[in-house]
Amino acid sequence: MATGRAWDATEDVTAETPQLPPDIVTMRATAGRLLGPDGCPEALPPSAAEVDLLIQTMRGQLELLVPEVERMTGRAARTVAQYCAAACVGEARGKLRAEPLPGLSGAVAYARRLARVLGALCDHYERLSSS
């Protein structure tokens, strides 16, 4: 639709663009690469390059999912589900602020912590979406 004025690159186009829901299936698949089928810490660790990529991917996924879950819980949690989701958001924010310990084992341990909180946040997102 033409408005008769020139397009300005500084305009916020996100207000006009509908927000797509987070890709929960992909987020769960990413987390599953570190936790294995039963969420066990005994899953074989990825290579150093792979763990770095998984950490970056999960950090990005958490940065997308955290605000969505926050929006769904509102400013003040009114139900147990909202309260638990808000607590998980706080946990996720803490994991995002943390840094892995040096070495591959430290990076894998950090990546698995991210994977567990990402999985939990996916659960909360789905639970709040269905209610």
Side-chain angles (χ1 to χ4, degrees):
M1 176 172 92
T3 60
R5 63 183 179 90
W7 180 74
D8 180 1
T10 62
E11 289 182 52
D12 182 15
V13 294
T14 57
E16 300 170 14
T17 308
Q19 182 74 19
L20 294 174
D23 187 352
I24 298 299
V25 172
T26 300
M27 291 178 183
R28 286 188 186 283
T30 304
R33 302 245 347 247
L34 286 150
L35 298 176
D38 300 320
C40 63
E42 293 83 25
L44 293 176
S47 68
E50 198 175 17
V51 76
D52 288 340
L53 179 61
L54 288 168
I55 286 172
Q56 291 173 13
T57 301
M58 286 187 296
R59 288 180 64 85
Q61 291 170 335
L62 284 167
E63 288 170 359
L64 291 172
L65 192 54
V66 163
E68 286 295 313
V69 174
E70 280 182 320
R71 182 188 54 75
M72 295 169 92
T73 60
R75 288 197 177 269
R78 293 176 290 286
T79 66
V80 172
Q82 288 174 330
Y83 179 79
C84 290
C88 189
V89 163
E91 184 72 18
R93 288 193 182 282
K95 301 283 188 263
L96 287 170
R97 281 190 301 272
E99 293 290 328
L101 293 174
L104 180 58
S105 62
V108 170
Y110 176 69
R112 287 185 173 152
R113 286 191 296 274
L114 288 178
R116 284 191 292 273
V117 78
L118 178 59
L121 213 52
C122 287
D123 291 342
H124 290 297
Y125 178 85
E126 290 179 329
R127 194 171 297 119
L128 292 171
S129 294
S130 66
S131 55

